[in-house]
Amino acid sequence: KKKKKKKKKKKKKKKKKKKKNKQECQMSETMWAVVVEEDQPLKLGNVEKPSCGPNDVLVEIVTAGLNRADLVQRRGLYPPPPGASEIMGLECAGTIVATGSEVSGWSVGDRVCGLMAGGGYAEFAVVDQGSLFKIPDGMSFDEAGALPEVMMTVWANIFDR
C-alpha cells in the first residue's frame, strides 16, 4: 500500500510541474536589457522579465536586429506605442520558452524570429503569436534576427500595395 501511495504522490507532483511550466509567462523575474536614459549612453540594466498575455509567447533572445526605426526611437522621435515595452528592439530571433494559454501552432523549443513594438534588446521578449515566423532551415539566429522588419517591408511594398 505504501508503494502505491508514493506512486500517486509522484504523479501529483508531475502534474503540478506541468501546470507550473504553462504558467511560466506569468512569473515575475528579472533579466538583463539595454536601458535608455535621456542624454545618457545606452547601458545594460537589470529589469523585470516580461509576462505574456494569452496570445503571446516568451522568447529567449539570441539576436536582435538594428534598423532605422531603432535609431529614430533612440533619439526620442519614435516613441513606443501605448502598452509596448519601453525596452528598445523591434525584431528578434530566439527560442520559445513559454506560451500563453491561447497560443496555437507554437511550442516551447521552437526557433523563431519576430516583429514587435519593443523589447528586443533584452534576454527575453514577449511576441504576439501572429508576429512570429519560423526560422527557415539552414538560417542562423544571426541572419534571422534581421529578417522580420526587412521581410515585412518588402511584403508591404510588393504585395500589399
Side-chain angles (χ1 to χ4, degrees):
K1 288 182 181 180
K2 287 182 181 179
K3 286 183 182 179
K4 286 183 182 180
K5 285 182 181 179
K6 285 182 182 179
K7 284 183 182 180
K8 285 182 182 179
K9 284 182 182 179
K10 284 182 182 179
K11 285 182 182 179
K12 286 181 182 178
K13 285 181 183 178
K14 285 181 183 179
K15 285 181 183 178
K16 286 181 182 178
K17 285 182 181 179
K18 264 189 174 179
K19 189 176 181 181
K20 186 177 180 183
N21 186 26
K22 191 65 173 176
Q23 294 175 346
E24 187 172 345
C25 280
Q26 304 307 318
M27 293 175 63
S28 179
E29 299 175 16
T30 61
M31 66 175 181
W32 290 103
V34 174
V35 177
V36 177
E37 293 177 1
E38 193 172 335
D39 299 324
Q40 296 293 316
L42 298 176
K43 66 178 185 178
L44 279 179
N46 203 330
V47 300
E48 188 174 326
K49 187 175 174 181
S51 60
C52 52
N55 292 303
D56 300 325
V57 302
L58 186 63
V59 176
E60 183 173 13
I61 297 179
V62 177
T63 60
L66 174 65
N67 56 61
R68 179 167 166 67
D70 294 300
L71 301 176
V72 175
Q73 189 175 57
R74 172 64 178 113
R75 287 194 266 147
L77 303 173
Y78 185 61
S85 174
E86 291 294 320
I87 298 168
M88 291 177 54
L90 304 175
E91 57 188 338
C92 70
T95 305
I96 295 176
V97 294
T99 61
S101 60
E102 300 296 317
V103 171
S104 62
W106 299 105
S107 301
V108 171
D110 286 348
R111 289 173 19 106
V112 296
C113 54
L115 190 61
M116 60 246 199
Y121 296 171
E123 288 184 282
F124 297 91
V126 170
V127 183
D128 180 85
Q129 68 176 332
S131 297
L132 286 174
F133 307 94
K134 181 182 181 286
I135 295 177
D137 293 337
M139 182 176 277
S140 71
F141 281 115
D142 289 339
E143 295 164 326
L147 179 66
E149 183 72 27
V150 172
M151 185 171 72
M152 293 311 296
T153 299
V154 169
W155 186 273
N157 284 301
I158 293 176
F159 299 107
D160 287 345
R161 284 193 166 204

